Amino acid sequence: MAVARLVLVALVAGAAAGLAGSREKSRAALESLLPVAGGRFGWTNLSCPACRLLFAALDASMQLEPSVEHLQQLAAKVCVTLRLAAPEICREIVRLFGQDMVTAWARSILRPAEICGLLVGARCGHWDIYSNWNVSLPATPKPPVRPPTPPPPGAPTARLLFLTDLHWDRQYMPGSDPDCQEPLCCRGGRPRGLGGAGYWGSYSKCDLPLHTLEHLLRHLASTGGPFDAAYWTGDIPAHNVWQQTRRDQLQALTTVTRLVRKYLGPLPVYPAVGNHESVPVNAFPPPYVPGNQSSAWLYDAMADAWQPWLTPGALRTLRLGGFYTLPIWRGLRLVSLNMNFCSEANFWLLINSTDPAGQLQWLVGVLQGAEAAGEKVHIIGHIPPSHCLRSWGWNYYRIINRFEGTVAGQFFGHTHLDGFELFYDEETASRPLGIAFLAPSVTTYIRLNPGYRVYYVDGIRPGSSSMVLDHETFILNLTQANQPGAVARWQRLYGARETYGLPVAFPEDWNRLLDRLQADERLFQHFWYLRFKGHPPAQPCGDACKKATLCALRTGRAADPKLCQSLQLPFPEIQAWWRQQRFC
């Protein structure tokens, strides 16, 4: 969300400065906005009257200036003046985001009092665009659900490869500066030499070179497999979001897809759309936005690139809204969701955030059909459910509750870290009925080892539960791989059941693990080490960090304090801590 807020700050400040007119008034307007730039482009220091004044200025400026070009020029100057980013980044970010953000704002029903209620707090106004809304669940009663049971000894187990957040940086340069001032480092420029970016990757705010991704895929093809299928949940381009074009994004999509097909060959691969695939980043207009501002350019390219893996029906909905469903094997169906329609960073949802593209209602229909056919369903997506807008997340939680006997697995990425989110029954909020697994990233961003995940699933057989029985995480240890003369080797970091002593890996097993993590400090610190793929932050995870982490693991529902009451940490503090950790 930081990028969108940067542009929003620059736009409203530019509008205020433009309306101020004279140099003195303009300077005063800019100085009054300096607190807005604090806190990673946050809004914590923005007063309610100032917020309303700024967005009223934006409204007035848009009415007086039929073209947004002048507003964008002012916004870029303001961004530089306020030092929100380097001058080049200011200009490029405003150029990329300005037109679409102004269009979304103009078409939205949000007005200053409403958006300031969103940014500053409920005391400043209401935001009806984010009000509660409900999808329609089936009128048929929920079938009785029996507790899951482990498969009999010798039953077949499927191995599912899981890849997420590859983030290929085509400007990555070994030896370059890993500690630059820009949002993304280890790229271009004069080689730094000793202490520069490593050949395989770096412990810094850097993404990966193509040769590291190819090395991973070659490893998977030779010694990592065999696999029965692969789930691939997006974020292919790098984090240089201020200088990307549609051509860049399509090049990343086609280049990496070709590598996946080259090395994984006939293996069926099922992708999902990440938030970095679009340009501007996070910008995914609903299907009713037509013309050049629509996402058709991206979805059509994805359908062309992924056509060998998907069915004609899946390709149709992929082209429409970036989501699809298809059968994987007998008794198991896959649903790939476009989680950008739940994202608070998708500014196109300012127009209308009520079930964008009708995706959740579509999901209900797919699950109802699967329930009637006796199918189990796996759901994949990029952004985890608890990171979604509140109403979207709560509706998704309701859907998982209603179809707990059908949804056998949920798999997400986006955070770059290792984790999970539990789902409980809505009646008592105590019986765990589902779990969303969050797999670690392939990329190093930020200060991580590259990694991937393998899930072991009950199947392939008639009557299989299709539930996850175990998972393993693998890494490329950069400390070892980047040593002179070393051979890069992908190695097993840990297995879930072995490490945590889980009987299986069903929701109840992970629920018990939460209690153990809360009580056993040594176990929690080991979990923290594994969460960061064997390269945790230098700052230890203290009491507030631990409670916020346990709260995040406990709930798959956005902004739900009920499940974290036992942690004895005020929920606003938990939310504030997690907002500081999000960097994707």
Side-chain angles (χ1 to χ4, degrees):
M1 190 62 177
V3 172
R5 281 177 173 161
L6 184 157
V7 181
L8 206 50
V9 168
L11 285 172
V12 296
L19 288 176
S22 71
R23 179 177 297 181
E24 287 187 6
K25 291 181 179 179
S26 179
R27 184 183 296 115
L30 296 183
E31 288 176 353
S32 71
L33 291 166
L34 283 172
V36 180
R40 291 192 63 175
F41 315 121
W43 299 82
T44 54
N45 296 323
L46 184 63
S47 69
C48 181
C51 181
R52 291 195 180 191
L53 177 63
L54 288 177
F55 282 94
L58 178 59
D59 264 350
S61 180
M62 289 169 56
Q63 292 172 14
L64 293 174
E65 179 60 64
S67 169
V68 299
E69 182 178 353
H70 181 61
L71 181 59
Q72 287 178 290
Q73 291 173 354
L74 283 171
K77 291 180 181 178
V78 167
C79 180
V80 173
T81 302
L82 296 180
R83 298 181 181 179
L84 300 181
E88 177 191 355
I89 295 175
C90 281
R91 289 190 292 270
E92 292 302 312
I93 281 287
V94 171
R95 178 187 62 80
L96 279 175
F97 281 78
Q99 179 67 55
D100 284 0
M101 289 194 72
V102 168
T103 300
W105 171 262
R107 291 189 57 177
S108 77
I109 61 172
L110 271 178
R111 296 281 61 87
E114 293 167 328
I115 197 165
C116 290
L118 172 66
L119 296 174
V120 180
R123 68 187 186 281
C124 195
H126 300 285
W127 51 97
D128 292 339
I129 194 167
Y130 294 133
S131 62
N132 293 336
W133 48 269
N134 292 317
V135 297
S136 298
L137 295 177
T140 54
K142 177 179 175 178
V145 178
R146 297 177 181 176
T149 56
T157 300
R159 294 183 85 233
L160 297 178
L161 170 65
F162 193 92
L163 300 172
T164 189
D165 297 273
L166 276 64
H167 290 293
W168 165 43
D169 185 2
R170 52 193 182 119
Q171 293 186 36
Y172 187 99
M173 179 180 291
S176 61
D177 186 2
D179 300 311
C180 69
Q181 298 302 309
E182 295 183 348
L184 184 65
C185 300
C186 301
R187 53 201 328 258
R190 184 183 308 170
R192 178 171 166 174
L194 188 65
Y199 180 79
W200 296 106
S202 295
Y203 294 131
S204 189
K205 50 179 181 179
C206 305
D207 283 318
L208 289 178
L210 194 63
H211 59 255
T212 302
L213 298 180
E214 190 163 11
H215 188 273
L216 166 61
L217 293 169
R218 188 182 298 115
H219 153 75
L220 294 172
S222 59
T223 60
F227 305 106
D228 295 284
Y231 296 161
W232 175 21
T233 59
D235 269 15
I236 305 170
H239 286 83
N240 59 322
V241 298
W242 69 94
Q243 59 183 190
Q244 292 170 341
T245 66
R246 289 184 177 183
R247 183 177 180 179
D248 295 330
Q249 308 306 78
L250 296 181
Q251 180 186 11
L253 168 68
T254 56
T255 299
V256 175
T257 298
R258 284 176 188 147
L259 276 182
V260 172
R261 288 167 60 182
K262 173 183 176 181
Y263 287 101
L264 300 187
L267 181 72
V269 178
Y270 304 110
V273 183
N275 63 301
H276 277 265
E277 265 69 88
S278 186
V279 61
V281 66
N282 301 313
F284 289 83
Y288 54 73
V289 175
N292 190 51
Q293 288 184 303
S294 77
S295 292
W297 66 274
L298 178 62
Y299 299 149
D300 286 343
M302 287 176 168
D304 293 341
W306 300 340
Q307 183 271 335
W309 297 322
L310 306 183
T311 63
L315 292 170
R316 279 194 296 272
T317 55
L318 174 63
R319 291 182 187 274
L320 173 68
F323 52 89
Y324 63 87
T325 182
L326 48 70
I328 296 183
W329 54 69
R330 185 178 179 183
L332 179 62
R333 172 169 293 276
L334 177 76
V335 170
S336 178
L337 293 178
N338 185 349
M339 300 298 285
N340 295 291
F341 290 141
C342 83
S343 172
E344 64 176 10
N346 184 1
F347 55 82
W348 282 103
L349 300 188
L350 290 171
I351 299 175
N352 187 351
S353 66
T354 302
D355 194 11
Q359 183 179 215
L360 283 184
Q361 200 63 61
W362 169 86
L363 174 63
V364 170
V366 170
L367 295 177
Q368 189 173 8
E371 180 181 87
E375 293 178 318
K376 300 298 182 182
V377 173
H378 282 177
I379 296 175
I380 64 172
H382 183 69
I383 300 172
S386 74
H387 290 231
C388 292
L389 290 167
R390 185 183 185 278
S391 288
W392 201 102
W394 284 56
N395 272 288
Y396 182 82
Y397 206 93
R398 290 176 59 225
I399 293 170
I400 297 301
N401 263 260
R402 168 59 182 81
F403 292 100
E404 66 165 297
T406 299
V407 177
Q410 305 172 66
F411 309 89
F412 298 91
H414 184 62
T415 68
H416 296 194
L417 305 179
D418 190 338
F420 57 89
E421 296 176 356
L422 278 166
F423 290 68
Y424 295 86
D425 70 292
E426 293 190 301
E427 290 77 19
T428 68
S430 62
R431 179 178 64 87
L433 55 80
I435 183 170
F437 292 100
L438 279 55
S441 63
V442 175
T443 188
T444 57
Y445 191 92
I446 299 175
R447 296 181 290 275
L448 300 169
N449 286 309
Y452 72 91
R453 168 72 52 84
V454 176
Y455 291 100
Y456 293 83
V457 176
D458 180 17
I460 311 168
R461 60 184 173 86
S464 163
S465 72
S466 295
M467 296 184 71
V468 172
L469 305 175
D470 198 1
H471 66 65
E472 295 178 312
T473 297
F474 298 79
I475 64 165
L476 179 65
N477 187 313
L478 292 179
T479 302
Q480 299 172 2
N482 285 328
Q483 291 294 320
V487 177
R489 290 190 176 91
W490 294 85
Q491 55 192 266
R492 184 178 185 265
L493 179 65
Y494 82 102
R497 289 178 62 182
E498 170 191 342
T499 298
Y500 297 126
L502 304 178
V504 195
F506 293 157
E508 180 57 45
D509 300 306
W510 294 97
N511 185 52
R512 292 196 188 101
L513 175 63
L514 280 179
D515 295 334
R516 292 168 54 211
L517 289 173
Q518 188 170 350
D520 187 335
E521 182 64 19
R522 184 176 180 180
L523 179 63
F524 175 82
Q525 293 302 331
H526 188 55
F527 168 84
W528 186 252
Y529 170 83
L530 297 175
R531 180 170 175 77
F532 287 85
K533 291 181 285 182
H535 195 262
Q539 182 178 359
C541 185
D543 183 63
C545 164
K546 178 179 178 179
K547 290 178 178 178
T549 301
L550 293 174
C551 179
L553 300 174
R554 195 175 293 277
T555 177
R557 184 158 60 183
D560 182 8
K562 181 167 58 176
L563 293 170
C564 301
Q565 291 174 347
S566 64
L567 298 173
Q568 297 179 342
L569 183 68
F571 191 66
E573 292 185 27
I574 291 176
Q575 288 183 304
W577 191 91
W578 270 104
R579 276 195 295 269
Q580 295 173 4
Q581 311 308 308
R582 294 182 181 182
F583 47 76
C584 304

